[in-house]
Amino acid sequence: MVVPKVSVKVVTWEGYPTVEKAASLRKELLAALEKNTQVVLSFSLLDGMDISVLQLLRAAYLEAQNRGKSFHLTGTVKPELARILVLSGFVRQRNDNARELEKEIFGPVFPESVAL
Amino acid sequence: MIEKFKEAFREEAAELLTNLEQTLLELESDPRDPETISSVFRTMHTIKGSSAMFGFDDISKFTHEVESVMDLLREGAFIADRTLIDLTLRARDLITALLAGTTEEHSAEASRLVQEFRTYVSARREAHVAELDASVELPLGSEKSILEIEADASRENGGGPDGASYADDSDPADVAALETFRIRFVPAPDVLMNGTKPLLLLDELRSLGEISITALTERIPPLSDLNPECCYTGWEMTLTTARGLEALRDVFIFVENSAELSIRKVVLESGAGDVKRIGEILVDRGVTTAERIRSVETTRKRIGELLVEEQIATSDQVKSALSEQEHLKRLKEKQDLGTASIRVASEKLDALVDLVGELVTLQARMASTAQNLHDGTLSSISELFERLVSQLRDNTMSIRMLPIGSTFSRFRRVVRDLSSELGKEIELVTEGADTELDKTVIEKLNDPLVHIIRNSVDHGIELPDERAAAGKSRNGTVTLSAMHSGAYVLIKVKDDGGGLNTESIYAKAEERNIIAPGTSLSEQELFHLIFAPGFSTAKTVTSVSGRGVGMDVVKRQIDSLGGSVSVESKRGEGTAITLKIPLTLAIIEGLLVRLDREYYVVPLSVVDGCIEHRREELAGAGKGRNILTYRNEVLPYVSVRDLFDVPGPPPAIEQIVVVNALESRIGFVVDQVIGDYQTVIKPLGRMFKHVEGLSGATILGDGTVALIIDVNRLAGTAQREEALRVQRDRDGNGTRKQ
């Protein structure tokens, strides 16, 4: 039996990356997805991010799906970043657990509707 | 009977006065806002009317005076300033005190305040005499009749029945004055390259009113096709605001030429009935037609998913419509508040939670019986029952949940008064006020938060000159925030002050014998010394803080809630204290353990780990002392068997549950660790209330009672017994020597 080789890369971003850094962050994620089967991005050291960096998260998820790999978020979300995620409309409720937010950030999920 | 009404009045008045404090502080920051002025007036008017009705004449008479001043304010005779806010806040405090009963001191304060109000009004009248309309009568001088004021208020409330008090600070009339807009904003792809920051724009929109924002993310391509400087995201928002369309348009003034922008007013359904259905919103938005919606409604899937599947709407469009639906529902709930909510005594709610707890237990028992009997019919009934019970449990728990914002608003007054007393300029910023928490927990959080905030204002934030010298703004900020984190809520009090001074903490702890001289401590351990009993680094004892009580009380109270406290601090930048609080006290995650044939629950929040050991090995390792090595650390341990006098021989292999108790770790030796267990807490009966080391009980699935261990008290008992034993040993040795 052939056991598929699993390699996990944890990418850690820090500070408050904005559009000026988006190109290099994109490159970093692409390289990680190229070489590994699973890429995990840690939010713990992030103070915030602008919309260009937020877009990278969904783009990385789509990229991973296209390549048959996986992309996940992990770590604690600092309060300012939690605020930004809600303000940007990517996330509906503040939460400090990045893992619990990935479904919302990666793509449209339907909230429980009041009256469908 | 009248006493019952009086009590209801007291409760409602107390609630109105809590809101009044908040409204007055809002008035201070925006003294011209007619809505806020009207709200203050209405509160005074309601209290005056109701208090007269229930025979609280002192309150009615005094409130009449304040109400008259507010009426002048409403007429634009002058603009509220700090002095007026101070006076009105004092008046508010006095009314609160009068609700409990009138004393001579209260009467004296009432006369003083009335006099001060009169002096204030005449001074303002002289200052503004040129601007005043000659026809405006000053009621305090000329006794404008109560009837006139009532007629005014009645007109303002749409001529409705007067004297009724509102259950919250947002009166339905306010909501009716608001408008709801649906905004679609899709910026040009190059928006980021020319320096525009869409998030700032969203922040500005948010400041206009209540907003629901949905990001349209479907245009974002996979990473390899993405241009990182391009904006692929758009937004659909639902905004309810009193500021009107113009204010809304102003936000987009610089981007409207390079973006797709549409702003449409949402017509709200008036009267009773449900909020708009999702299909109706989509038809309203022109995404699809009513016929197509009807055609998919016949199938039994969720309509949102169906619409996406059938490619009638995109997921972004459905997500955004759902978000609007939620927004409208919240708005409607606010409008309906006057009629759709009822006041229920909290004891009744507690009794309901108790019954639901019983039901959860019974259901677990039924499930285990069904499993043992291998009865298919009973099993399927049990499954149905389980589903219903878990819905009932969630619903009941949600009734007890309240937004923490009501507690937050009280602290604005604390910060305002304290900072002016200390000559500091401090602003309190609150975030996440709508985070919900069990009402019992919220009540118990008030005191600890007051302690922490007072400490931040007193010790944390520097005086304006010191701040300026350190290159900071003269104004300090205390940020109070709340957010969910799994089954917990994190409440953080953060200041931008000088941060904790670790050297002075160390020196003081040494001086107070809290630590032995020369002890080496990590930064976190040093920070935690501020929670030690009797610790205070303040050089002088002030009325504010610095008595050395406070932070240890905070720690104890948070511990008793099953929560924890953590400290972060950076010299020169500030300190943040985070309280991690469980969402509810009615159900906890527990670790089920066994001693002989009895079961006990240890709250999982304090458990650090479990280890297994052979009894004789452990006895030999400590050389007579109860100590063990755990993760390279020497810890004391105690046999719960011995503490609870459990009969019978212990097993050869026992297990130790290591818990965090009383600022350190301690091991509890038990026969067996069974596993985690959702524990519905039942209080111990009156007879067992004072049993040391137990905090409650729970009923297991098979009907057995398991006792919940109060870890801190049990550790305390163990420590005392150990100290006594050591003392006895020493005394014994001493005797022999003699």
Side-chain angles (χ1 to χ4, degrees):
Chain A
M1 193 175 76
V2 182
V3 181
K5 203 176 151 200
V6 178
S7 62
V8 183
K9 163 88 178 166
V10 179
V11 178
T12 305
W13 289 350
E14 43 185 88
Y16 199 128
T18 54
V19 65
E20 292 80 22
K21 263 193 114 177
S24 69
L25 297 177
R26 171 182 172 270
K27 227 167 137 186
E28 186 184 3
L29 287 179
L30 271 175
L33 283 167
E34 181 73 40
K35 291 180 200 143
N36 303 280
T37 51
Q38 188 175 358
V39 176
V40 181
L41 174 68
S42 169
F43 268 31
S44 294
L45 298 179
L46 276 170
D47 297 318
M49 57 176 70
D50 78 351
I51 200 71
S52 67
V53 182
L54 257 168
Q55 293 182 152
L56 291 180
L57 306 179
R58 174 164 156 88
Y61 166 73
L62 295 175
E63 185 71 34
Q65 273 202 325
N66 283 353
R67 294 175 183 228
K69 297 181 173 183
S70 72
F71 176 68
H72 289 289
L73 304 179
T74 189
T76 310
V77 185
K78 290 189 185 178
E80 175 57 12
L81 180 55
R83 191 189 74 86
I84 288 172
L85 291 174
V86 175
L87 176 70
S88 66
F90 274 70
V91 160
R92 286 167 61 241
Q93 254 200 332
R94 285 172 77 117
N95 192 318
D96 76 337
N97 185 339
R99 186 82 205 221
E100 286 173 19
L101 294 178
E102 62 175 38
K103 262 193 191 159
E104 279 189 88
I105 294 176
F106 290 164
V109 273
F110 304 131
E112 276 303 316
S113 157
V114 191
L116 284 172
Chain B
M1 194 66 181
I2 188 77
E3 254 321 302
K4 205 171 167 186
F5 285 123
K6 278 189 171 183
E7 197 43 52
F9 162 71
R10 277 196 197 98
E11 272 177 32
E12 280 197 20
E15 208 169 298
L16 282 169
L17 288 166
T18 308
N19 292 334
L20 177 66
E21 190 170 67
Q22 173 76 5
T23 319
L24 283 171
L25 296 172
E26 274 164 24
L27 187 62
E28 190 171 21
S29 51
D30 190 1
R32 286 169 200 271
D33 184 32
E35 283 304 318
T36 319
I37 297 171
S38 292
S39 172
V40 175
F41 172 81
R42 275 198 303 275
T43 306
M44 286 300 173
H45 180 66
T46 306
I47 294 178
K48 185 193 72 179
S50 313
S51 55
M53 202 189 308
F54 295 111
F56 293 88
D57 293 339
D58 291 336
I59 298 182
S60 173
K61 224 164 111 189
F62 175 69
T63 317
H64 168 69
E65 299 281 353
V66 190
E67 180 203 31
S68 306
V69 182
M70 294 306 135
D71 195 27
L72 276 178
L73 199 62
R74 208 166 53 131
E75 287 169 0
F78 48 79
I79 293 160
D81 58 4
R82 200 179 164 92
T83 318
L84 181 67
I85 302 290
D86 275 336
L87 281 173
T88 320
L89 280 171
R90 272 174 60 200
R92 176 240 168 238
D93 294 346
L94 179 65
I95 301 170
T96 311
L98 286 171
L99 281 172
T102 310
T103 64
E104 262 177 40
E105 202 182 310
H106 292 151
S107 308
E109 168 74 351
S111 314
R112 259 198 312 274
L113 266 173
V114 168
Q115 200 45 52
E116 283 179 51
F117 267 120
R118 288 185 178 179
T119 316
Y120 172 82
V121 168
S122 23
R124 292 302 301 265
R125 184 179 55 176
E126 277 164 28
H128 289 79
V129 75
E131 298 159 35
L132 282 177
D133 184 340
S135 66
V136 172
E137 289 274 310
L138 288 175
L140 282 174
S142 62
E143 288 301 319
K144 185 176 180 178
S145 82
I146 294 174
L147 277 176
E148 277 175 72
I149 300 172
E150 278 186 347
D152 290 348
S154 175
R155 272 198 300 279
E156 189 179 72
N157 291 335
D162 199 17
S165 53
Y166 299 111
D168 74 337
D169 58 350
S170 57
D171 119 24
D174 290 343
V175 179
L178 299 170
E179 289 176 297
T180 299
F181 296 96
R182 178 185 300 143
I183 307 155
R184 183 179 162 86
F185 168 57
V186 184
D190 62 355
V191 71
L192 301 173
M193 289 180 237
N194 62 33
T196 308
K197 295 187 167 65
L199 288 177
L200 288 183
L201 205 133
L202 298 177
D203 228 352
E204 212 175 316
L205 276 177
R206 206 183 55 152
S207 70
L208 294 180
E210 193 169 334
I211 191 165
S212 302
I213 305 174
T214 309
L216 308 174
T217 56
E218 283 182 337
R219 288 193 312 152
I220 301 176
L223 212 50
S224 44
D225 301 334
L226 174 132
N227 173 354
E229 288 172 351
C230 235
C231 182
Y232 297 93
T233 312
W235 287 273
E236 283 191 346
M237 295 156 269
T238 314
L239 171 71
T240 302
T241 175
R243 306 281 288 274
L245 183 62
E246 277 314 301
L248 193 50
R249 285 218 161 271
D250 283 350
V251 175
F252 295 101
I253 204 155
F254 297 111
V255 289
E256 60 185 348
N257 291 332
S258 58
E260 181 196 330
L261 175 69
S262 86
I263 303 176
R264 286 178 56 198
K265 202 172 151 181
V266 179
V267 184
L268 295 174
E269 306 281 318
S270 57
D274 293 334
V275 284
K276 276 189 177 179
R277 289 152 59 93
I278 199 74
E280 287 172 324
I281 295 175
L282 286 167
V283 172
D284 224 18
R285 289 174 168 214
V287 173
T288 182
T289 60
E291 287 72 41
R292 296 199 75 175
I293 295 286
R294 267 196 296 278
S295 72
V296 291
E297 265 179 349
T298 45
T299 49
R300 297 185 67 180
K301 273 193 175 176
R302 291 171 71 186
I303 196 164
E305 287 163 21
L306 264 172
L307 290 169
V308 176
E309 256 175 44
E310 301 273 321
Q311 296 186 344
I312 293 170
T314 66
S315 351
D316 267 348
Q317 282 168 331
V318 173
K319 193 171 88 164
S320 163
L322 283 167
S323 160
E324 178 177 319
Q325 191 188 38
E326 263 184 34
H327 182 97
L328 296 178
K329 185 180 170 249
R330 277 201 303 274
L331 199 68
K332 192 169 166 48
E333 276 171 0
K334 222 172 174 183
Q335 278 174 324
D336 290 348
L337 210 58
T339 50
S341 69
I342 51 164
R343 196 182 282 268
V344 179
S346 56
E347 300 84 54
K348 286 189 182 171
L349 215 56
D350 293 342
L352 178 67
V353 172
D354 223 27
L355 282 173
V356 171
E358 299 265 2
L359 214 54
V360 170
T361 313
L362 195 67
Q363 181 273 318
R365 201 166 158 188
M366 183 167 169
S368 94
T369 313
Q371 203 179 10
N372 292 342
L373 292 176
H374 303 291
D375 184 331
T377 322
L378 189 60
S379 289
S380 74
I381 294 174
S382 162
E383 273 165 30
L384 270 176
F385 188 44
E386 185 176 346
R387 212 175 311 154
L388 275 174
V389 168
S390 81
Q391 273 177 22
L392 181 65
R393 187 197 57 207
D394 292 348
N395 264 320
T396 316
M397 289 300 165
S398 77
I399 300 176
R400 286 165 64 100
M401 294 292 186
L402 291 175
I404 197 161
S406 54
T407 307
F408 278 11
S409 57
R410 285 185 212 155
F411 301 129
R412 287 183 66 180
R413 175 83 184 272
V414 173
V415 172
R416 177 190 185 274
D417 291 356
L418 211 57
S419 51
S420 63
E421 195 181 311
L422 296 166
K424 296 180 179 178
E425 292 159 23
I426 301 174
E427 192 197 354
L428 178 75
V429 178
T430 58
E431 289 169 3
D434 52 358
T435 308
E436 290 190 330
L437 203 59
D438 192 293
K439 76 170 182 58
T440 343
V441 182
I442 289 187
E443 283 158 14
K444 290 185 179 164
L445 270 179
N446 192 48
D447 290 351
L449 280 175
V450 168
H451 275 304
I452 298 174
I453 290 172
R454 288 175 80 103
N455 263 305
S456 284
V457 173
D458 191 16
H459 303 308
I461 306 231
E462 315 91 328
L463 286 163
D465 290 345
E466 285 172 32
R467 291 180 65 86
K472 291 178 171 180
S473 67
R474 293 179 65 84
N475 287 359
T477 309
V478 175
T479 312
L480 181 58
S481 64
M483 73 155 108
H484 282 284
S485 171
Y488 291 86
V489 167
L490 302 180
I491 298 169
K492 186 181 260 190
V493 181
K494 191 173 138 202
D495 66 58
D496 63 350
L500 292 177
N501 182 341
T502 42
E503 292 91 47
S504 108
I505 291 177
Y506 191 94
K508 185 63 78 174
E510 224 177 36
E511 184 192 314
R512 302 258 154 130
N513 290 329
I514 295 168
I515 52 169
T519 314
S520 93
L521 294 171
S522 69
E523 195 181 55
Q524 262 306 312
E525 286 168 330
L526 265 166
F527 290 162
H528 266 270
L529 288 175
I530 62 171
F531 298 111
F535 181 87
S536 171
T537 55
K539 291 185 183 74
T540 51
V541 170
T542 65
S543 63
V544 182
S545 51
R547 288 178 198 282
V549 289
M551 293 313 264
D552 63 319
V553 178
V554 167
K555 178 87 175 63
R556 259 209 313 276
Q557 278 171 322
I558 300 303
D559 281 349
S560 75
L561 287 172
S564 59
V565 189
S566 62
V567 188
E568 290 162 81
S569 184
K570 226 173 188 174
R571 211 48 199 284
E573 288 180 24
T575 306
I577 294 184
T578 308
L579 310 180
K580 187 178 175 190
I581 312 288
L583 278 174
T584 175
L585 294 181
I587 296 179
I588 57 160
E589 282 289 336
L591 185 71
L592 191 64
V593 299
R594 187 180 59 79
L595 283 169
D596 196 34
R597 271 175 295 174
E598 289 168 12
Y599 293 93
Y600 294 86
V601 174
V602 182
L604 208 54
S605 58
V606 298
V607 175
D608 194 86
C610 298
I611 45 174
E612 205 174 72
H613 78 101
R614 284 188 167 278
R615 198 173 172 82
E616 65 268 21
E617 281 171 17
L618 200 64
K623 299 188 177 74
R625 298 288 306 278
N626 288 344
I627 50 171
L628 65 104
T629 316
Y630 171 78
R631 293 185 188 159
N632 297 327
E633 209 184 313
V634 177
L635 298 183
Y637 73 85
V638 51
S639 162
V640 186
R641 242 173 194 284
D642 296 346
L643 280 174
F644 288 159
D645 285 334
V646 179
I653 297 174
E654 293 179 307
Q655 280 175 310
I656 300 179
V657 182
V658 179
V659 298
N660 296 305
L662 301 172
E663 296 299 313
S664 59
R665 277 190 286 220
I666 182 168
F668 285 142
V669 183
V670 297
D671 289 3
Q672 188 196 359
V673 172
I674 295 172
D676 62 336
Y677 184 76
Q678 274 263 344
T679 313
V680 180
I681 303 177
K682 310 281 295 171
L684 288 170
R686 231 178 338 150
M687 295 282 284
F688 306 104
K689 259 234 149 95
H690 303 291
V691 177
E692 194 112 313
L694 295 175
S695 62
T698 188
I699 303 167
L700 304 179
D702 62 356
T704 321
V705 172
L707 295 166
I708 302 166
I709 292 179
D710 182 340
V711 170
N712 282 330
R713 290 186 68 175
L714 197 64
T717 312
Q719 274 177 2
R720 272 197 307 280
E721 290 197 0
E722 175 72 5
L724 277 174
R725 199 176 64 83
V726 171
Q727 187 65 39
R728 270 199 309 271
D729 286 354
R730 246 187 236 149
D731 291 350
N733 287 341
T735 318
R736 272 197 297 278
K737 269 177 195 162
Q738 279 167 3

